[in-house]
Amino acid sequence: MVSVEVHSLVPESLLHRIDVAGGTLSGGVTSERHLSELSGCFADRDAYRAALEEGDPLVYSVVTASDDAAGSLSFGLGVIQPGRVGGEFYLTKGHYHSRREAAEVYIGLRGSGGLVLENESGSSCFVPMGVGEIVYVPGHTAHRSVNCGDEPFAYLGVYASDAGHDYAGIAEANFALVVMDGPDGPRALHRGDPRPEPRAPIEQEAGE
Ligand code: S6P
Ligand code: ZN
């Protein structure tokens, strides 16, 4: 006789709640990444060192609800804080999936940002993502999320539980595109391109 493992269908255990403002996901496990854990990710190494001398702020957190049964899905609520290093927006480390063909769906929940995508042939793009927008990340594609705004950027990523994370696969080459703040808003540039001037500070009217 063939034995088949099935979930016992308990509705409460199948329902999760997201608190977007609080950055929580019920039934999830939280991990945090601080600036010191993002060595090599930002294009401007001097600006990165200088920022670390000021402290080691939280850059992003991920709350993951996972299920390890065969064929299952996992999902994570990512929240990237607003910030810049040398004009480059705060970002996630970025990874390929260890099982390269595993795709992922991202859903924007708060703020504005986007995904830097790069495939194994070296083709890359930046896909902006706002609230209610969905980005499909195909298999064989490294992905990094970026907060392009002045408030936390929150999103949900849904992926096969056995996808796995391969950080080393993209870390050495790093992503070819960097997303910078500029006078006309966010711009995706090639890593070696000249940087735009930083956004001018807002001038206060006398007497304000
Ligand atoms: C997992 C999914 C996300 C990321 C999260 C943090 O496959 O893509 O939940 O884990 O955006 O990024 P990273 O690169 O630090 O795992
Ligand atoms: Zn992923």
Side-chain angles (χ1 to χ4, degrees):
M1 200 170 92
V2 180
S3 88
V4 181
E5 243 183 65
V6 288
H7 274 285
S8 47
L9 293 175
V10 182
E12 308 84 71
S13 70
L14 301 176
L15 177 70
H16 299 257
R17 285 195 179 79
I18 287 178
D19 171 2
V20 175
T24 60
L25 166 66
S26 65
V29 175
T30 303
S31 66
E32 293 186 337
R33 273 205 207 271
H34 289 253
L35 191 61
S36 59
E37 296 164 280
L38 295 171
S39 173
C41 292
F42 292 97
D44 186 337
R45 306 282 163 114
D46 294 338
Y48 176 71
R49 266 193 296 273
L52 270 183
E53 278 169 23
E54 300 291 309
D56 189 14
L58 173 69
V59 176
Y60 63 96
S61 60
V62 186
V63 192
T64 305
S66 51
D67 179 349
D68 54 14
S72 65
L73 297 173
S74 293
F75 45 95
L77 171 67
V79 182
I80 309 179
Q81 297 305 310
R84 295 151 186 77
V85 171
E88 185 177 359
F89 289 111
Y90 270 12
L91 42 69
T92 60
K93 204 171 167 70
H95 57 270
Y96 277 108
H97 290 148
S98 312
R99 194 159 69 73
R100 285 291 194 273
E101 66 273 26
E104 181 161 357
V105 168
Y106 273 73
I107 305 162
L109 300 174
R110 178 183 180 189
S112 66
L115 285 158
V116 178
L117 303 179
E118 183 163 323
N119 67 19
E120 292 168 309
S121 328
S123 169
S124 56
C125 68
F126 173 63
V127 188
M129 181 173 75
V131 175
E133 293 183 320
I134 299 166
V135 176
Y136 179 73
V137 179
H140 300 270
T141 306
H143 42 290
R144 157 177 284 169
S145 18
V146 179
N147 182 355
C148 301
D150 292 322
E151 63 171 312
F153 173 54
Y155 56 85
L156 189 73
V158 185
Y159 51 96
S161 296
D162 63 358
H165 294 75
D166 175 5
Y167 293 98
I170 188 70
E172 202 181 320
N174 211 341
F175 288 79
L177 293 182
V178 296
V179 187
M180 308 283 301
D181 198 4
D184 305 318
R187 281 177 62 189
L189 304 170
H190 281 97
R191 198 160 281 283
D193 285 351
R195 311 264 160 68
E197 288 301 312
R199 198 160 46 170
I202 297 161
E203 286 184 23
Q204 300 276 311
E205 292 290 330
E208 269 186 12

